[in-house]
Amino acid sequence: MKFNLLFFIRLLLRHMALLIIVPIFLAALVFQLTKNEPKIFNSKARVYTGIASGSTIELNKTKLDFRATNTAYDNLLNLIKARTTIESVALKLFAQHIVLDSADTRVISPTKFSELQQLVPQEVKDLVVKDNVQKTYENLLTYKNRNHTNFLYELINKEHPDYSIESIRGRISVRRILSSDFVDIEFESEDPAICQNTLLILADIFVKLNAEIKVNQTDAVVKYFEGQLAGSTQDLRKAEDDLLAFNQTHNIINYYEQTKYIASEKEHFELEYQKIHIKHYAAKAVIETLEAKLAAHQKRVLNSEQMVGLRNELGNVNFEISMKSLNLESDSIKKVQHAKDLIDLTKRANEIKTQLSSEVDQMYSLDYDEKSVASTTILADWLANTIEFEGTKAQLKVMDQKRQEFKKLYQVFAPLGATMKRLERKIDIAEREYLSLLHSLGLAKLRQQNVELKSNLKLIEVPFFPINPKASKRMMLVFIAGMAGFIMVAFTILILEFLDGNINTAQRAKEKIGLEVSSIFPVINYKSKKMDYSYLKNKAVNAISRNIMLNQFKKEGQEGPVVNMFFSTQEGEGKTFICDHLISKLCELDYKTLHITYDPEDFRLPKETYRCLQYTISDQLYKIAGMHEFDPEGLIEDYNTYDFVILEIPGIIRNPFPVKLASTMDFTFLITRANRSWSVADMNSLRLFNEATTGPEPSIILNGVKVLEMETVIGDLPKNRSLIRLFIKKVVQFRFFTKKSVT
């Protein structure tokens, strides 16, 4: 039989009663159990989050981060269903109910209020602050946190339908509306007031929690940067104070300008020093040259004490003038005093120069009178160079002192520069750190403002008070129970069919037994009026008798009847039943048949065509080598007068069989029932039978097959079918264009 759609339909139809009774029973059971199902009310709140497209004060942040957005929504949805959130909702809802003196349908129904009053112990009722839900909530929270064995702790952690955490969480439905900024929160309850108030409390709590979490995160960052900035400000101020103290200690106004000025002055001083140095030694050389040209008495006059004294005095006066000229005083009084001193010193220098000139002129007059030689030019040059020599000498002396002062100044300013560099570098580092922290603090405050802006969730749709309950799912549950029952039974039937180890079909008989199937015989049920069983029986008997008669034609040219052995491995396989119908058909066709059997049943067939020999089952069967041995009394004179001999032997597992006679059989038939399995004992007994006999290989006659299996032999079964059934059969077999005739 092919496992097609028609096969499955027929398989289910055979168990139609079970497929109807079980679903109806389950549906009725669910219908009965849900008879007192309470009404469920539903309310909804819609919250605008602004996470995806809300405004922001971060001007450079224009790109939407989908991963961050999804994470933010996941955090929000998890926050709504968090244990802490639901616990606060449960306690506030309980506080809202317990403060009432009587039932208020806007808060709790009378039935629920009555149940609550009976449930709550007096010690919890004593915690109530009349007309103050918040204070009552605080008292209840303190009471709940005392230990884990008190009434409130057990109430919210066990299975109370209105106040337990798991019950509230199980009735909350949270979902984001597509990819928008809106989140819908739905809640179900048997009490419409509780349904609405639970949502109101939940929305209030989770909005505040969300704001606190976001703001606390940014507050911690802002406080951190503020603390770091305060420390950095102190470090920067200390570094600046150190530099200020350093400048005050060393009288530094602007170190770099001062050092630049000192270097410039030193350069100019050195140039001036070189000029004066050159003038000094040039004057000295000229004086020596001029003195070499003078006479001895002139040299004596020039080197006299008076001349030397004047020259020394002139040098001292010039030294004082140079000192006064180069000395820079910041005090205005001293500057005025120095100016007066310079005037006096200049007058004195001019007087000395006049005296020197007078002495030189006197020496010139004397010398002219005595020798009449003109030496005016030499003496004049000597006087001029002497004055210049004395002047540069004083200047060099002063400038040497100034040179030492510059050297000392350089010695002072050189290490000050390195120290100032360190102080300035310290200030620079402190300033950079300060600016960096200031920038980070600005970003943190910007982020804080942005988070505060985004964490400001808004309740767009306030939870409504539900009037109509949700549509009951009772009929759906009844339908599901019925469908589940049908599917369960159908699945069980199919599983049992596929796991069935019985032979059942001719194909499985061939696969399990290993022999060819010559004929099949159906189960006959004469009580059923839907099927023409007489027709089926006749067709099955015709098929078996046709095989017997075909075997006769194969034996043409040989003398004697066609001897057919019918055997089985076990008893009760239907050998006598098959032989009865077969012999009846042969006799009906006027074939003379000899039936050798151990069964005493009388077939009541006409004696002209039928003869029966009965034998007794014993171990003597092993020794029988010919058919005449079944007739020890010689009742049959000539076996050749019979067309067919039907030899029926008992089950070979428990009974002996004629081994020698089996080898002389023309044909042997193994009769087995279809509604049993083929066991190892059957296989072993058949193998021993084949080994013990050298006759032809047996073929199978499968007895008791299901009626549907007969379609493999006769085609469509003889049933009265309506046009609808015929159409359905064609559809399930996909035979849309099948015709009954050529035209």
Side-chain angles (χ1 to χ4, degrees):
M1 181 178 291
K2 294 175 66 177
F3 293 105
N4 51 27
L5 182 58
L6 183 61
F7 165 78
F8 290 111
I9 293 175
R10 285 173 171 173
L11 178 63
L12 296 178
L13 288 175
R14 288 206 306 269
H15 303 86
M16 181 58 68
L18 196 61
L19 287 169
I20 293 175
I21 293 173
V22 173
I24 291 176
F25 172 76
L26 290 178
L29 181 63
V30 172
F31 183 83
Q32 182 66 25
L33 293 176
T34 57
K35 183 170 62 176
N36 297 321
E37 181 183 13
K39 295 180 180 180
I40 300 298
F41 294 87
N42 175 276
S43 185
K44 181 182 74 173
R46 178 166 292 182
V47 179
Y48 176 75
T49 62
I51 295 175
S53 61
S55 59
T56 176
I57 58 177
E58 297 180 16
L59 301 179
N60 61 340
K61 190 175 181 181
T62 58
K63 203 171 190 181
L64 181 62
D65 188 345
F66 288 99
R67 179 176 294 181
T69 300
N70 291 333
T71 301
Y73 273 109
D74 289 340
N75 292 339
L76 182 63
L77 300 184
N78 289 325
L79 176 63
I80 294 174
K81 284 196 170 186
R83 180 181 176 84
T84 305
T85 306
I86 304 301
E87 182 177 323
S88 299
V89 171
L91 283 178
K92 284 199 173 184
L93 184 66
F94 180 80
Q96 189 181 59
H97 294 165
I98 201 68
V99 297
L100 296 175
D101 295 327
S102 60
D104 185 350
T105 54
R106 295 173 300 176
V107 180
I108 187 172
S109 65
T111 304
K112 290 280 187 180
F113 183 77
S114 177
E115 293 175 356
L116 180 64
Q117 291 298 320
Q118 295 176 5
L119 178 67
V120 179
Q122 187 60 40
E123 63 174 345
V124 176
K125 293 180 180 179
D126 293 339
L127 300 174
V128 174
V129 178
K130 193 169 182 61
D131 299 330
N132 193 330
V133 177
Q134 181 61 31
K135 187 61 178 177
T136 302
Y137 165 74
E138 294 173 0
N139 294 341
L140 293 175
L141 182 63
T142 304
Y143 175 80
K144 190 270 298 181
N145 292 332
R146 289 179 185 174
N147 53 64
H148 61 278
T149 58
N150 59 67
F151 169 78
L152 276 180
Y153 190 89
E154 293 181 353
L155 180 70
I156 65 174
N157 285 282
K158 287 190 175 180
E159 298 179 356
H160 194 279
D162 299 320
Y163 308 114
S164 72
I165 294 174
E166 293 302 323
S167 177
I168 296 176
R169 182 185 292 166
R171 296 183 178 189
I172 293 175
S173 174
V174 186
R175 65 183 181 88
R176 179 186 178 188
I177 302 176
L178 300 178
S179 58
S180 66
D181 287 320
F182 294 97
V183 172
D184 279 352
I185 309 172
E186 295 185 9
F187 186 74
E188 296 179 350
S189 178
E190 301 169 6
D191 187 340
I194 291 178
C195 181
Q196 181 191 30
N197 289 308
T198 302
L199 272 181
L200 288 171
I201 295 171
L202 175 62
D204 179 66
I205 289 176
F206 94 81
V207 167
K208 290 180 179 178
L209 280 176
N210 180 71
E212 288 177 3
I213 291 173
K214 295 294 183 66
V215 172
N216 286 342
Q217 289 176 349
T218 55
D219 279 351
V221 177
V222 170
K223 288 180 180 178
Y224 168 78
F225 281 116
E226 286 178 345
Q228 294 295 316
L229 185 65
S232 178
T233 303
Q234 292 180 357
D235 293 341
L236 178 61
R237 186 175 291 113
K238 183 177 182 302
E240 291 175 343
D241 291 341
D242 291 343
L243 180 62
L244 177 61
F246 177 81
N247 290 337
Q248 289 175 344
T249 302
H250 298 90
N251 298 319
I252 298 174
I253 299 174
N254 189 328
Y255 176 81
Y256 299 103
E257 291 297 327
Q258 285 181 263
T259 53
K260 183 178 179 181
Y261 175 77
I262 291 171
S264 176
E265 289 296 315
K266 177 71 165 54
E267 184 177 357
H268 288 99
F269 173 80
E270 289 294 333
L271 291 175
E272 190 67 24
Y273 181 83
Q274 292 298 327
K275 289 179 183 180
I276 294 173
H277 188 271
I278 291 171
K279 287 181 180 181
H280 175 73
Y281 283 97
K284 183 179 180 181
V286 171
I287 290 171
E288 290 177 354
T289 302
L290 292 174
E291 286 181 350
K293 292 179 180 182
L294 294 174
H297 68 280
Q298 290 176 330
K299 293 179 180 179
R300 285 195 297 273
V301 173
L302 294 176
N303 292 325
S304 63
E305 291 181 2
Q306 185 177 359
M307 291 295 289
V308 172
L310 289 174
R311 288 176 61 182
N312 289 335
E313 186 178 0
L314 179 61
N316 292 330
V317 171
N318 286 332
F319 177 77
E320 290 294 332
I321 292 172
S322 298
M323 289 294 294
K324 297 292 183 180
S325 299
L326 293 176
N327 192 12
L328 300 176
E329 292 291 343
S330 58
D331 192 350
S332 58
I333 298 175
K334 290 184 178 181
K335 284 183 179 181
V336 173
Q337 183 64 40
H338 285 171
K340 292 180 179 180
D341 293 342
L342 280 173
I343 293 172
D344 295 338
L345 290 173
T346 303
K347 288 181 180 181
R348 179 58 185 160
N350 291 332
E351 291 175 356
I352 295 172
K353 289 178 182 179
T354 302
Q355 291 180 6
L356 283 173
S357 178
S358 177
E359 291 293 332
V360 171
D361 289 341
Q362 185 179 359
M363 184 178 64
Y364 165 74
S365 299
L366 294 174
D367 190 37
Y368 181 81
D369 290 338
E370 291 177 0
K371 298 180 179 180
S372 300
V373 178
S375 58
T376 307
T377 302
I378 295 174
L379 291 175
D381 290 339
W382 180 86
L383 178 61
N385 283 284
T386 298
I387 293 172
E388 184 175 0
F389 174 76
E390 293 297 334
T392 56
K393 180 179 178 182
Q395 288 179 347
L396 285 176
K397 186 176 179 181
V398 172
M399 293 183 79
D400 285 336
Q401 291 182 1
K402 289 295 180 180
R403 221 175 186 185
Q404 294 298 321
E405 290 180 5
F406 271 115
K407 185 176 180 180
K408 291 179 181 180
L409 193 61
Y410 267 73
Q411 289 176 351
V412 171
F413 268 82
L416 291 181
T419 305
M420 180 168 284
K421 279 286 186 183
R422 287 198 298 269
L423 293 173
E424 289 178 346
R425 188 163 53 248
K426 184 177 179 181
I427 292 174
D428 183 62
I429 293 173
E431 186 178 10
R432 287 175 182 272
E433 182 182 3
Y434 172 81
L435 292 176
S436 176
L437 290 172
L438 186 63
H439 177 68
S440 299
L441 178 61
L443 292 178
K445 287 188 175 181
L446 185 67
R447 174 67 176 167
Q448 183 184 40
Q449 294 299 320
N450 191 55
V451 168
E452 289 179 359
L453 182 65
K454 284 196 170 185
S455 62
N456 187 20
L457 305 179
K458 295 181 180 178
L459 194 63
I460 303 299
E461 290 186 11
V462 179
F464 58 89
F465 188 93
I467 299 175
N468 298 320
K470 291 180 62 178
S472 176
K473 297 181 180 178
R474 186 183 184 192
M475 297 311 298
M476 182 182 293
L477 293 175
V478 171
F479 176 76
I480 292 173
M483 288 298 298
F486 180 85
I487 293 172
M488 179 178 64
V489 173
F491 181 75
T492 304
I493 291 171
L494 294 176
I495 291 296
L496 292 177
E497 180 68 22
F498 283 112
L499 296 179
D500 188 4
N502 293 340
I503 298 173
N504 290 333
T505 66
Q507 181 63 30
R508 295 181 70 178
K510 180 180 178 180
E511 294 173 356
K512 288 178 176 292
I513 301 175
L515 300 176
E516 292 294 330
V517 178
S518 60
S519 299
I520 61 175
F521 201 91
V523 176
I524 304 299
N525 182 11
Y526 292 105
K527 295 181 180 180
S528 176
K529 296 181 180 181
K530 295 182 180 180
M531 187 75 66
D532 189 352
Y533 282 100
S534 298
Y535 174 81
L536 288 178
K537 182 187 73 172
N538 187 47
K539 286 294 184 180
V541 174
N542 286 342
I544 298 172
S545 60
R546 183 170 57 248
N547 288 331
I548 297 296
M549 289 185 285
L550 287 174
N551 291 337
Q552 183 188 30
F553 295 142
K554 293 178 183 179
K555 197 181 177 184
E556 285 183 354
Q558 298 181 13
E559 295 182 357
V562 178
V563 182
N564 299 280
M565 177 186 285
F566 288 80
F567 73 98
S568 64
T569 56
Q570 298 183 13
E571 297 295 337
E573 299 292 329
K575 294 187 298 296
T576 303
F577 176 79
I578 297 294
C579 289
D580 183 10
H581 288 79
L582 174 61
I583 294 171
S584 297
K585 176 58 70 174
L586 293 174
C587 291
E588 183 182 341
L589 297 173
D590 292 330
Y591 286 107
K592 290 184 178 182
T593 305
L594 174 62
H595 183 204
I596 303 174
T597 179
Y598 60 90
D599 197 323
E601 183 179 350
D602 185 4
F603 292 166
R604 296 178 182 180
L605 296 173
K607 294 182 179 180
E608 293 82 7
T609 57
Y610 173 73
R611 182 68 183 271
C612 179
L613 289 177
Q614 184 178 350
Y615 65 89
T616 304
I617 299 174
S618 67
D619 291 340
Q620 295 299 320
L621 284 174
Y622 286 121
K623 299 179 180 181
I624 294 177
M627 289 183 295
H628 62 278
E629 294 183 29
F630 289 104
D631 184 19
E633 298 178 358
L635 298 176
I636 300 175
E637 296 178 358
D638 186 6
Y639 287 94
N640 292 330
T641 60
Y642 294 97
D643 296 310
F644 298 101
V645 175
I646 306 299
L647 174 59
E648 182 183 351
I649 64 173
I652 62 176
I653 291 179
R654 298 184 180 182
N655 300 292
F657 62 91
V659 177
K660 294 181 180 181
L661 181 61
S663 62
T664 64
M665 294 293 103
D666 293 322
F667 300 98
T668 56
F669 296 92
L670 170 64
I671 299 177
T672 183
R673 287 182 291 108
N675 59 353
R676 76 176 184 90
S677 61
W678 189 254
S679 65
V680 177
D682 294 314
M683 290 189 291
N684 292 333
S685 63
L686 180 59
R687 179 176 53 80
L688 291 173
F689 179 84
N690 289 331
E691 290 177 356
T693 61
T694 57
E697 186 179 64
S699 61
I700 302 171
I701 296 177
L702 190 60
N703 185 26
V705 298
K706 296 174 182 177
V707 176
L708 296 176
E709 184 68 16
M710 291 301 295
E711 285 191 343
T712 61
V713 178
I714 65 173
D716 286 343
L717 297 176
K719 297 175 73 174
N720 295 323
R721 298 182 179 91
S722 64
L723 293 176
I724 296 176
R725 292 192 63 181
L726 288 172
F727 175 75
I728 293 174
K729 184 176 181 181
K730 286 183 179 181
V731 170
V732 298
Q733 290 182 306
F734 301 103
R735 297 176 181 175
F736 302 103
F737 304 104
T738 302
K739 304 293 183 180
K740 291 185 177 181
S741 62
V742 176
T743 59

